Amino acid sequence: MRYILAIDAGTTSSRAILFDHQGEQKAVAQHEFPQYFPEESWVEHDAQEIWETQLKAIREVMATDGIEPTDIAAMGITNQRETTIVWDRATGAPVHKAIVWQDRRTASICESLSDHAATFLNKTGLVLDAYFSGTKIKWILDSDPSIRKRAEAGELAFGTVDSWLIWNLTQGKVHTTDVTNASRTLLYNIHELQWDQELLDLLDIPASLLPTVVSSSEKVGETAVDVLGTAIPISGIAGDQQAALFGQLCLAPGDVKNTYGTGCFCIMNTGEKAVESQNKMLTTIGWQRNGKTFYALEGSVFIAGALVQWLRDQLQMISSAPEIEALAKTVEHNGGVTFVPALSGLGAPYWDPEATGAIMGITRGTEKGHIARAALEAIALRSRDIIIEMQKDAGVEFSSLKVDGGATGNDLLMQIQADLLQKQVVRPNTTETTALGAAFFAGLAVGFWKDEDELKAIWKEDRVFSPQENSHNKRCLTLWEQRVPKLLS
Ligand code: ADP
């Protein structure tokens, strides 16, 4: 057995990747699927399109020259989280379009349940928000009396994208999800590790809809021979951020990874203890394996790479995102400029939805380069804000930051991050840490890899950015700490 097949079911595309024993990619296939925006703030996917594009990608990598079906030891799945699908158990047909994590249509349901927000938070670690699956399920059931009737008769199934794919891969034999995906539904008690009847009652959701919950690394079934021509064990499941945490080998309490894309997604391992955040970070399950549950704190920055896009598209200061690095390098430091990236409010730890962005400290000597540099610093400073608060919540000091995502190709940004955190920033060799995490979970469950030590031995870093101390970094931080509070509404 030479490979693990990882499925990365993302928000805009379905991907399949074959990893070998060294964690190297042997083959990749990817297909995008349409996004539907039927009303303002609504975002939908067609669940059948997710399945069809995913199946196509899987078949393509399996057809790579020199690969036999018997070369594949197991399959691991990672997925866009929270996105909600309800389907008919008899026919397998979805009863409604998938409601995507970005969809805000259930904000009013959250509002109407606000008296119970503390109950949801205590049991699930989540704020009562439209982001998560629970209110999306309720919305689908309430959208049509016949759907609710069928749900109450036990005819329907709910699942996040992992469950939906496994149902289809096994031709309806397996209806399951893992703890990490369950922990994003608002229905799963992350302390007792079970679906919670009180929360189900609050949302008026019949328990018969729910999948069984398994660990992130165990065999849950096999692909149907009719589907892939062979029975491949399915033995790893995790939501995308949690899979990336494991793929980055953030295995010890305090280990933390940050993904630099449009926004930043930061997640810190807090060990076998669920830590309650004092800063409205989410408490979530990192993974469960071999009977042990690891918890995590999660926080995000809404505007990160998007700030670079804004300089490119709105100000036309650069013509491509990577150009910002050369522009920022035309100056030695930010020249006293602070860029507060509150382009859509300011999240943790400020939590000011009304805040707006600002470029402060402009003088006659200010050049484009200073603004470019201040923008990169802003991405690093917002990430720092989150990581420092997480560290306080978790009560552990982290040793280094593992990074991934599109903007990590920017060496200057990575160096700035190391300097401002005064910690090492570690960029891995692979950019596919999410899929790699799913492969690791699947491979460990079937003995393809023996243990975590074996994973550590094959995990390769591309580059480590060591912190440098200089007066510019200190000044940059001091100005940030003085100026941001002035902008809060
Ligand atoms: P997403 O998954 O959110 O679409 P990606 O991981 O693909 O994001 O990263 C794309 C984002 O990273 C964009 O916002 C882009 O502006 C930013 N980006 C890409 N390359 C660079 C770079 N070299 N320097 C700074 N930002 C970059």
Side-chain angles (χ1 to χ4, degrees):
M1 295 281 189
R2 298 189 295 157
Y3 303 109
I4 297 288
L5 174 54
I7 288 181
D8 185 354
T11 304
T12 58
S13 73
S14 299
R15 300 188 322 130
I17 305 181
L18 280 182
F19 288 101
D20 68 13
H21 212 270
Q22 292 303 308
E24 303 277 357
Q25 285 175 48
K26 169 73 183 170
V28 188
Q30 171 165 1
H31 292 284
E32 288 195 9
F33 52 80
Q35 312 284 312
Y36 298 99
F37 308 103
E39 291 191 32
E40 204 192 320
S41 88
W42 290 27
V43 188
E44 295 182 345
H45 292 156
D46 181 327
Q48 289 295 0
E49 288 172 344
I50 293 179
W51 165 235
E52 283 157 20
T53 48
Q54 193 61 70
L55 185 60
K56 205 164 150 199
I58 296 170
R59 287 187 172 145
E60 274 172 30
V61 289
M62 287 180 67
T64 308
D65 275 352
I67 307 255
E68 298 296 327
T70 49
D71 287 334
I72 300 171
M75 176 188 283
I77 298 178
T78 181
N79 55 290
Q80 54 160 322
R81 304 173 302 174
E82 298 104 10
T83 295
T84 298
I85 305 170
V86 177
W87 66 92
D88 187 301
R89 288 180 184 274
T91 64
V95 302
H96 194 276
K97 283 251 174 46
I99 302 185
V100 179
W101 57 273
Q102 298 145 326
D103 190 296
R104 305 295 305 167
R105 79 183 67 181
T106 57
S108 58
I109 300 180
C110 296
E111 193 69 49
S112 69
L113 286 167
S114 59
D115 286 353
H116 303 283
T119 307
F120 281 100
L121 178 67
N122 293 339
K123 291 186 168 195
T124 69
L126 306 175
V127 292
L128 178 56
D129 190 89
Y131 183 13
F132 306 107
S133 315
T135 57
K136 299 183 197 289
I137 305 173
K138 177 174 168 53
W139 191 94
I140 293 175
L141 300 188
D142 289 346
S143 70
D144 180 342
S146 76
I147 294 181
R148 179 161 289 284
K149 219 166 121 207
R150 284 157 74 196
E152 275 161 8
E155 291 170 19
L156 303 183
F158 150 75
T160 38
V161 172
D162 54 316
S163 305
W164 167 245
L165 293 176
I166 292 169
W167 174 277
N168 282 286
L169 285 161
T170 61
Q171 289 191 318
K173 277 218 184 81
V174 180
H175 181 214
T176 200
T177 191
D178 88 304
V179 283
T180 68
N181 279 293
S183 77
R184 315 295 295 186
T185 58
L186 276 177
L187 304 174
Y188 190 72
N189 188 315
I190 61 169
H191 311 288
E192 293 173 4
L193 299 172
Q194 57 184 355
W195 298 118
D196 192 285
Q197 194 56 50
E198 183 186 4
L199 303 181
L200 286 165
D201 290 343
L202 282 170
L203 285 164
D204 204 7
I205 296 173
S208 62
L209 277 173
L210 301 173
T212 55
V213 183
V214 293
S215 76
S216 317
S217 182
E218 68 179 91
K219 187 175 159 190
V220 300
E222 290 180 337
T223 60
V225 175
D226 285 353
V227 176
L228 292 181
T230 181
I232 300 172
I234 302 169
S235 58
I237 314 172
D240 51 12
Q241 296 307 316
Q242 286 93 335
L245 187 69
F246 199 73
Q248 288 273 26
L249 294 188
C250 291
L251 304 176
D255 284 355
V256 54
K257 76 93 195 160
N258 195 18
T259 301
Y260 298 76
T262 311
C264 281
F265 281 98
C266 190
I267 180 161
M268 179 181 277
N269 181 341
T270 62
E272 292 180 64
K273 191 172 70 179
V275 171
E276 198 184 311
S277 172
Q278 301 307 310
N279 292 291
K280 295 199 204 158
M281 308 278 180
L282 305 176
T283 306
T284 201
I285 296 181
W287 65 84
Q288 190 183 61
R289 197 172 86 74
N290 287 345
K292 283 189 180 167
T293 305
F294 285 81
Y295 292 88
L297 280 171
E298 183 176 315
S300 43
V301 173
F302 310 134
I303 300 286
L307 198 58
V308 179
Q309 289 169 356
W310 182 78
L311 291 176
R312 183 193 62 193
D313 303 337
Q314 256 78 15
L315 296 198
Q316 277 133 35
M317 207 181 251
I318 44 177
S319 57
S320 74
E323 269 178 38
I324 195 170
E325 186 168 1
L327 181 58
K329 278 186 177 157
T330 58
V331 293
E332 234 175 88
H333 52 79
N334 65 18
V337 174
T338 303
F339 200 147
V340 184
L343 307 196
S344 61
L346 263 187
Y350 311 100
W351 295 111
D352 183 351
E354 307 299 329
T356 50
I359 301 174
M360 302 166 89
I362 298 172
T363 65
R364 284 198 71 170
T366 301
E367 297 170 18
K368 279 184 192 171
H370 292 125
I371 293 179
R373 194 173 174 106
L376 295 181
E377 288 170 351
I379 297 172
L381 285 160
R382 286 296 292 124
S383 296
R384 180 184 183 279
D385 285 340
I386 299 253
I387 295 165
I388 296 293
E389 292 308 318
M390 278 186 173
Q391 183 174 261
K392 275 192 218 153
D393 281 339
V396 282
E397 187 162 342
F398 73 103
S399 56
S400 65
L401 174 69
K402 301 268 187 71
V403 297
D404 50 45
T408 57
N410 188 319
D411 289 351
L412 179 61
L413 171 60
M414 295 298 102
Q415 186 61 52
I416 291 172
Q417 188 70 82
D419 295 348
L420 290 172
L421 282 171
Q422 284 299 300
K423 298 280 183 200
Q424 286 194 332
V425 167
V426 181
R427 186 170 65 195
N429 206 22
T430 176
T431 49
E432 300 292 351
T433 45
T434 306
L436 187 61
F440 282 168
F441 283 132
L444 284 169
V446 297
F448 184 81
W449 290 293
K450 199 165 70 238
D451 53 22
E452 290 175 358
D453 285 342
E454 201 178 342
L455 302 182
K456 285 180 194 159
I458 61 164
W459 199 89
K460 293 179 205 74
E461 53 198 32
D462 164 48
R463 188 164 162 189
V464 177
F465 297 85
S466 296
Q468 293 159 8
E469 227 175 311
N470 64 48
S471 56
H472 298 313
N473 299 330
K474 286 207 182 108
R475 183 162 145 75
C476 168
L477 194 55
T478 308
L479 288 175
W480 177 262
E481 283 169 351
Q482 285 168 357
R483 287 170 172 172
V484 175
K486 288 193 188 143
L487 288 176
L488 300 179
S489 56

